[in-house]
Amino acid sequence: MATDVTMPQLGESVTEGTITRWLKKPGDRIAKYEPLCEVATDKVNAEVPATISGTLLEIVAEEGATVEVGQLICRIEEEGGTPSAKPADQGKDSAASSAASSGQEDQSMKRRYSPAVLRLAQEHGIDLEKIEGTGKGGRITRKDVLRYIEGGGKGVPSPSTPADRGEKQPAAPAKKPSAPEVRIPVAETPAKEGVPVPLEEGDQEIPVSSVRRTIAQRMVTSKHEAPHAWTMVEADVTGLVQLRERLKKEFKEREGISLTYLPFFIKAVVDSLKEFPYLNSVWAGDRIILKKRINISIAVATDDALYVPVIHDADEKSIAGLAKAVHRLAEKTRAGKLSLEDMQGGTFTVNNTGSFGSIMSQPIINYPQAAILSVESIVKRPVIKDSMIAIRDMVNLCLSLDHRILDGLMAGRFLQRVKERVESYGPDTQI
């Protein structure tokens, strides 16, 4: 008896993975939990283990294929079970079955919609009857809806769909599909992917990696679904600079790692999140979930991608503890050794764009979190202090927020408390 092996859930919010290498071939004997193949996602590289012991009967998803979570990737002949048809025969059977059913596609799942699909359809005023589902049994996936939106409502329409929405349609013979109606302002329609671009001499074409493609999809999703608002405050961190200057040599000698500014800002954010729990929440369609744990996502860039590992229970750590956690995650990211646990459970993101010399940015929310804060570069500037001109160390703190969850009042108060906290650090502060 053959058992189907599907693409597992390889992380929170991971929807697909790309099979980079098969470690087994048809006919190989496999022990339970033995790795079958290697899979790359936007977050981690992982191995897919065998769910049973037996013999690899058939590989369905070849190397390089990107497969959605839950879709079939291979079949295993269970150990001691009744022999199934050989892969070659099975392929013939499948082909025959496919041929037989080519004129009668399975549409049994056509009208079973996930909450994400329904939410997208509601937000964009889309009639789902006009979308052709690519999922199992004709089910409409979230990707189908996004593709339909990105195409300006010119996705593959159902052959039986009328042009006018809401009108009862008589049973009519198949006809040429009409252009579907979509209630999306043209200005909000994102640029199509794959638009032909003329190449000139010397141009280089770089294939989009699965990681880059997934990052792009996430960014588009966040901008599509979360109405971003943005605000910024300026903070005087002269005391923090003096504190770090006093501690950094001793810290390096004692802990073996450098003491950066980021842990101080994370600590200020974490303490402020306790006062404003709505900033530590996620959007869940018909409700807002205030997260009990405070898990801080931090953005770590590599040469070719951006990863967002998580400091779990950041509110339980001191500044020194946060410094160690930041160092550990950064090292694991650059070494390509992040685990699934390292990537899961983030409730708020702190982005350190200041490390690149940036003084102002508008970060995209790490969806479905409620907000993201960017710490910009600390620069010396002349400012008015006590009615006199003084040279101070100044930093901009930039906050992007999901306007469905947060309004400017709460976001502003939160940012004000973060500012007060980072300005309260002084040369004698204990970490």
Side-chain angles (χ1 to χ4, degrees), residues 241-396:
V241 172
Q242 294 171 347
L243 173 62
R244 176 178 173 271
E245 193 63 29
R246 180 178 70 82
L247 294 175
K248 65 180 184 181
K249 182 178 179 182
E250 175 193 341
F251 191 85
K252 177 76 172 182
E253 292 174 350
R254 187 179 73 239
E255 305 295 343
I257 61 175
S258 299
L259 180 61
T260 66
Y261 289 114
L262 185 58
F264 294 92
F265 289 101
I266 293 177
K267 182 63 175 174
V269 167
V270 167
D271 290 342
S272 301
L273 288 174
K274 294 177 183 176
E275 293 183 46
F276 300 92
Y278 271 80
L279 272 292
N280 194 55
S281 68
V282 296
W283 179 260
D286 58 348
R287 61 196 188 284
I288 296 169
I289 300 175
L290 305 182
K291 302 297 290 184
K292 181 179 180 181
R293 297 177 70 186
I294 297 179
N295 301 330
I296 300 298
S297 304
I298 57 172
V300 180
T302 63
D303 289 339
D304 58 353
L306 177 68
Y307 295 87
V308 193
V310 178
I311 302 173
H312 294 98
D313 301 314
D315 54 321
E316 299 177 0
K317 299 181 186 299
S318 63
I319 291 175
L322 291 169
K324 294 176 185 176
V326 169
H327 177 79
R328 180 183 66 84
L329 291 173
E331 289 294 302
K332 292 184 74 173
T333 302
R334 293 173 186 129
K337 295 182 178 179
L338 286 172
S339 66
L340 290 176
E341 185 181 3
D342 291 329
M343 302 295 293
Q344 294 177 341
T347 58
F348 186 94
T349 299
V350 176
N351 192 22
N352 184 25
T353 47
S355 61
F356 306 118
S358 167
I359 58 170
M360 186 182 299
S361 64
Q362 291 183 307
I364 297 176
I365 296 167
N366 187 10
Y367 190 83
Q369 295 175 13
I372 177 174
L373 181 138
S374 273
V375 179
E376 304 297 328
S377 183
I378 298 174
V379 296
K380 287 189 178 296
R381 286 206 302 105
V383 298
I384 304 297
K385 187 175 179 63
D386 299 330
S387 300
M388 293 185 290
I389 297 176
I391 303 300
R392 308 291 292 179
D393 292 292
M394 307 300 293
V395 65
N396 291 329

Side-chain angles (χ1 to χ4, degrees), residues 51-228:
T51 52
I52 60 170
S53 298
T55 303
L56 182 59
L57 191 64
E58 180 186 9
I59 290 176
V60 177
E62 301 293 340
E63 290 183 1
T66 300
V67 183
E68 291 186 7
V69 171
Q71 284 193 346
L72 178 66
I73 61 172
C74 70
R75 293 187 176 92
I76 297 176
E77 181 75 52
E78 190 173 2
E79 197 170 62
T82 304
S84 302
K86 295 180 179 178
D89 296 336
Q90 197 172 49
K92 291 177 183 177
D93 292 345
S94 298
S97 174
S98 175
S101 61
S102 60
Q104 187 179 358
E105 295 183 2
D106 179 13
Q107 295 290 306
S108 58
M109 304 286 284
K110 167 75 176 175
R111 291 182 174 81
R112 293 187 63 179
Y113 308 125
S114 69
V117 167
L118 289 173
R119 185 169 64 252
L120 274 175
Q122 185 179 22
E123 291 174 355
H124 295 280
I126 296 173
D127 183 355
L128 292 174
E129 287 294 314
K130 296 180 178 179
I131 299 179
E132 191 73 18
T134 59
K136 185 177 180 181
R139 187 166 186 170
I140 296 173
T141 67
R142 191 169 169 279
K143 276 190 171 182
D144 294 329
V145 181
L146 289 175
R147 191 180 301 117
Y148 185 85
I149 295 171
E150 292 169 0
K154 296 178 181 178
V156 181
S158 172
S160 60
T161 298
D164 298 324
R165 183 191 341 195
E167 293 182 2
K168 287 189 175 181
Q169 49 182 303
K175 59 181 180 181
K176 186 177 180 180
S178 303
E181 173 190 351
V182 179
R183 296 184 215 156
I184 305 175
V186 174
E188 295 181 7
T189 303
K192 295 179 180 178
E193 291 186 0
V195 174
V197 176
L199 291 176
E200 299 179 358
E201 186 177 356
D203 292 350
Q204 293 184 2
E205 289 185 278
I206 309 297
V208 177
S209 66
S210 59
V211 172
R212 176 52 53 191
R213 180 163 50 83
T214 305
I215 291 174
Q217 290 172 347
R218 294 282 172 79
M219 297 299 101
V220 170
T221 298
S222 182
K223 293 292 282 186
H224 272 198
E225 298 199 10
H228 284 54

